[in-house]
Amino acid sequence: MKTVTIPDLKDKMLAAMTIRGLTAKEAEIVIAPFIEAELRGKRTHGINKFFVIDDGLHNRGTPHIIRDKFSYALIDGNKELGFLCADMAMDMAIQKAKQHGSGIVGLTNAFYFSVLWPYARKAAEAGLVSIIMKSGGPAGVAPFGGADPIMGINPLSIGIPARGGPIILDMTAAQKPWGEVNLARVENRPLAPNTFIDKNGNFTTDPAQAEAIIPFGGAKGYGLNLAIEVLTGAFVGARMGLQVKEVYDTGNLFIALSPEMFTEMDTFLDSVEVLKTELKSSRPMANFPEVYLPGEQGDALFKKNTVKGSLEIPKDIWDALCKYADGVDIKSALQIKL
């Protein structure tokens, strides 16, 4: 492992993006989720996944709105980088929710973007409840009891305004994200047992043999994964299942909801605070230090690493990032998949 200061990490990532033609503002938007993922301990969505950006730089277009009616809209990303499109979609959903009480924005034909929590947090900090879903295709998750990948990883994030900072749920409908395979391959270590399936339909811990991931939570997680597949697929006019051949076939859904549709904002926040207090003051089970709210441990690690000012990064990843900042294509060498 190599100790890298956060400013040095940011400088290398900015250099990697600007040398590839992004403006300084665009580069800041693109690199922020990867850095935050590292700071929050979500290394499956951190620097090792950053190198896939190269795949999306050759087809970039200007996103345009193809449907806009009252509280809902649909954006054609026109193959623009997903981070930039997601920012646009969330901002539009927030604007509509402020005006109409609810805002629902679909996004299609955009390149990959990683985590959802920054967009859920943005809405929550604007005083809105958010529900964000992302198609995690092409196929990577097998149906419950099945051996073949059919559905995407399909992450979900829900943001709830709260005093002292929003509550952010961020999860995937798979047992593990596909980034775990990339990270295990780079770090030359085995995968978690009973999670990944090989081409013969058997569990494997070898990242080179992983072909599919099981849904989390058995049949219930499978049901949630299927629902997200439809809501980010047919519902927004995107493809689903085995019809997804590339990342541009996938869809995304951004929903923002104003609590003031049904109550006063202070009343809503007071009620959330009571529930938070009840949860945090509840007795922890044996071997649990305390009861955590969703995202709370990640928030604490983010603050700790930010104050520390540095991160421990695998030396191979840092060396790859330095080359990437000089314009070298790293993704193919590391065999990193979306």
Side-chain angles (χ1 to χ4, degrees):
M1 301 293 282
K2 180 178 178 59
T3 302
V4 178
T5 68
I6 296 172
D8 284 348
L9 178 63
K10 183 177 180 179
D11 286 346
K12 289 294 183 185
M13 296 177 74
L14 285 173
M17 292 294 91
T18 54
I19 202 173
R20 287 166 171 79
L22 273 69
T23 66
K25 181 179 180 180
E26 290 172 338
E28 288 276 1
I29 292 172
V30 168
I31 72 169
F34 293 106
I35 294 176
E36 184 175 351
E38 288 284 345
L39 292 170
R40 296 177 70 88
K42 301 294 185 181
R43 295 181 53 237
T44 53
H45 293 77
I47 309 309
N48 87 94
K49 205 69 177 285
F50 178 58
F51 306 115
V52 305
I53 295 297
D54 268 359
D55 285 350
L57 294 176
H58 309 297
N59 303 304
R60 296 181 63 192
T62 302
H64 56 273
I65 299 167
I66 58 177
R67 187 169 300 175
D68 187 354
K69 294 185 178 181
F70 304 108
S71 63
Y72 67 92
L74 179 63
I75 299 173
D76 180 341
N78 199 20
K79 294 183 167 56
E80 176 60 290
L81 297 179
F83 301 93
L84 306 179
C85 295
D87 241 24
M88 176 182 177
M90 191 73 259
D91 286 346
M92 194 170 190
I94 290 171
Q95 179 185 10
K96 287 183 174 296
K98 290 289 188 180
Q99 183 177 0
H100 301 291
S102 64
I104 305 175
V105 178
L107 168 65
T108 62
N109 195 25
F111 187 65
Y112 163 86
F113 62 100
S114 53
V115 293
L116 299 182
W117 68 69
Y119 313 106
R121 182 175 59 221
K122 176 184 279 193
E125 289 176 346
L128 303 169
V129 174
S130 61
I131 305 170
I132 306 169
M133 288 169 272
K134 176 177 179 289
S135 170
V141 177
F144 179 64
D148 297 321
I150 304 292
M151 301 177 296
I153 306 301
N154 297 355
L156 164 72
S157 188
I158 298 175
I160 301 171
R163 294 195 174 97
I167 300 170
I168 307 294
L169 168 68
D170 192 275
M171 57 177 283
T172 175
Q175 184 73 11
K176 290 281 186 179
W178 195 261
E180 184 67 25
V181 177
N182 297 325
L183 197 60
R185 184 184 292 115
V186 170
E187 296 179 349
N188 193 29
R189 60 170 173 80
L191 296 165
N194 302 322
T195 300
F196 297 88
I197 304 170
D198 65 19
K199 63 180 180 181
N200 297 316
N202 300 313
F203 283 122
T204 181
T205 59
D206 182 354
Q209 301 300 318
E211 297 286 336
I213 310 170
I214 64 171
F216 90 96
K220 293 181 180 180
Y222 164 46
L224 177 61
N225 196 313
L226 187 152
I228 296 173
E229 188 84 7
V230 173
L231 289 169
T232 59
F235 185 65
V236 297
R239 295 182 179 180
M240 303 182 295
L242 298 180
Q243 304 309 306
V244 176
K245 304 301 182 184
E246 60 177 2
V247 66
Y248 300 111
D249 293 335
T250 62
N252 311 273
L253 189 63
F254 298 79
I255 302 171
L257 305 168
S258 172
E260 293 181 306
M261 288 190 293
F262 305 117
T263 186
E264 298 297 322
M265 193 64 194
D266 281 341
T267 303
F268 173 86
L269 292 174
D270 287 344
S271 296
V272 171
E273 197 64 25
V274 169
L275 179 60
K276 280 175 56 180
T277 301
E278 291 173 347
L279 291 169
K280 292 299 296 179
S281 61
S282 63
R283 292 179 300 141
M285 291 178 62
N287 301 321
F288 282 81
E290 61 178 289
V291 174
Y292 294 101
L293 298 171
E296 186 176 8
Q297 289 176 289
D299 289 342
L301 188 56
F302 176 84
K303 292 175 183 177
K304 178 182 177 181
N305 284 327
T306 301
V307 171
K308 182 182 176 184
S310 63
L311 287 165
E312 297 296 317
I313 296 176
K315 187 177 183 303
D316 288 348
I317 293 291
W318 173 251
D319 291 344
L321 180 59
C322 291
K323 293 178 182 178
Y324 196 55
D326 291 332
V328 178
D329 176 8
I330 294 300
K331 185 186 75 69
S332 56
L334 294 179
Q335 296 181 298
I336 293 173
K337 295 171 61 177
L338 282 176

